[in-house]
Amino acid sequence: MTDLLAPAGASVRSAAVAPPTEGLLPHEFTLGDSVYAPQDDSFLLIEVMRAETDVIAGRRVLDLCCGSGVIGIAAACLGAREVVAFDINPEAVRSTAVNAADAGVVVDARRGSIDEALAAGPFDVVLSNPPYVPAPDGAAGVVTGGDMTATAWDAGTDGRSVLDPLCRAVPGLLAAEGVCLFVHSETSGVDRTLAMLRDGGIDAETVAHGHIPLGPVLRERAEWLSRRGLLPPAARSEMLAVVRGRR
Ligand SMILES: C[S@@+](CC[C@H](N)C(=O)[O-])C[C@H]1O[C@@H](n2cnc3c(N)ncnc32)[C@H](O)[C@@H]1O
């Protein structure tokens, strides 16, 4: 494992990668200081990608909100012709480049978001595990004291500060007959994602679900989320969904 990641003063961690990626990805990923460790949402999306290899092999793929790069690297390992990855966190961009090199694949990791991806498009496949957790204070991509850790999950009061613009951008990001796959939680409105994609002329459906125990951030926000009808009362788990859109 390389530690090229660390700019002066930053720490580097590593994360073990879980069973759905067995035989596809290296067992360990390197993470810059504030970079999201691959976890259940990442793995659910990769499970769907593995089941839909024909959608990815030979295609030009976008991984938006790449974090460690796990999604784009999985796409490259599944035979994508080209993978371009964007994240607003520069440590994520560096982590993606390092992890791709460790996995022996090429991923073009760039700092940026939806506008930069639109300029780099169109793509045959658009993949994203964006931030999607509703934040009581409306935090969304806000950097507190330079620490970007919460940028990986905080997504405004409705959890849709990235999802809404992403859904609106899909018709511009996708090439003819292109496919998008997004993962997010029930707390940020799966039906709204489906409706927004359909409004854009995209044929959209939910193709996978998974239930996971509430993590520390959601446990702390559970009562607020349930008061707003975004989580059932006394919930101990949340549902994740993978939405597929076809042009
Ligand atoms: C939930 S993490 C997912 C990381 C990785 N794709 C995975 O599946 O493990 C979300 C990522 O989105 C990035 N992000 C947040 N807001 C963004 C935006 N507006 N544009 C691009 N990336 C963003 C964060 O820095 C973080 O790396």
Side-chain angles (χ1 to χ4, degrees):
M1 204 167 60
T2 147
D3 68 356
L4 289 176
L5 275 177
S11 67
V12 176
R13 325 167 341 256
S14 68
V17 173
T21 67
E22 197 62 48
L24 183 69
L25 295 175
H27 284 281
E28 246 184 25
F29 267 52
T30 302
L31 306 173
D33 211 15
S34 57
V35 177
Y36 188 78
Q39 49 202 271
D40 294 303
D41 46 9
S42 331
F43 302 139
L44 184 64
L45 181 53
I46 291 171
E47 259 186 272
V48 171
M49 291 162 61
R50 290 193 95 169
E52 307 217 1
T53 305
D54 54 323
V55 165
I56 290 169
R59 316 281 178 192
R60 182 165 199 255
V61 174
L62 168 67
D63 174 10
L64 188 79
C65 302
C66 60
S68 63
V70 68
I71 303 297
I73 292 167
C77 292
L78 289 169
R81 184 179 85 243
E82 181 186 353
V83 181
V84 184
F86 286 97
D87 202 289
I88 55 170
N89 182 348
E91 289 188 32
V93 177
R94 281 193 287 273
S95 299
T96 296
V98 166
N99 288 319
D102 284 350
V105 295
V106 176
V107 171
D108 178 359
R110 309 182 193 177
R111 190 173 186 189
S113 187
I114 295 169
D115 286 347
E116 290 75 15
L118 281 164
F123 297 92
D124 302 310
V125 182
V126 175
L127 305 168
S128 189
N129 177 12
Y132 53 73
V133 179
D137 58 1
V142 177
V143 182
T144 310
D147 179 1
M148 295 192 79
T149 308
T151 307
W153 54 79
D154 279 344
T157 48
D158 59 1
R160 299 201 57 96
S161 64
V162 178
L163 276 164
D164 279 354
L166 176 57
C167 288
R168 277 192 290 272
V170 164
L173 287 168
L174 279 184
E177 298 180 27
V179 172
C180 63
L181 290 169
F182 301 152
V183 63
H184 68 90
S185 157
E186 62 181 317
T187 59
S188 41
V190 176
D191 285 347
R192 180 161 168 160
T193 297
L194 293 169
M196 287 190 74
L197 289 172
R198 288 171 187 153
D199 282 351
I202 304 294
D203 187 11
E205 61 181 323
T206 303
V207 291
H209 288 118
H211 283 85
I212 58 164
L214 297 188
V217 175
L218 274 207
R219 280 203 301 275
E220 193 191 303
R221 295 178 189 176
E223 204 184 308
W224 174 77
L225 287 166
S226 94
R227 276 202 309 273
R228 300 191 64 218
L230 300 174
L231 202 60
R236 297 194 167 185
S237 63
E238 64 174 319
M239 188 194 73
L240 300 177
V242 177
V243 169
R244 181 179 61 205
R246 289 182 189 278
R247 198 159 183 192

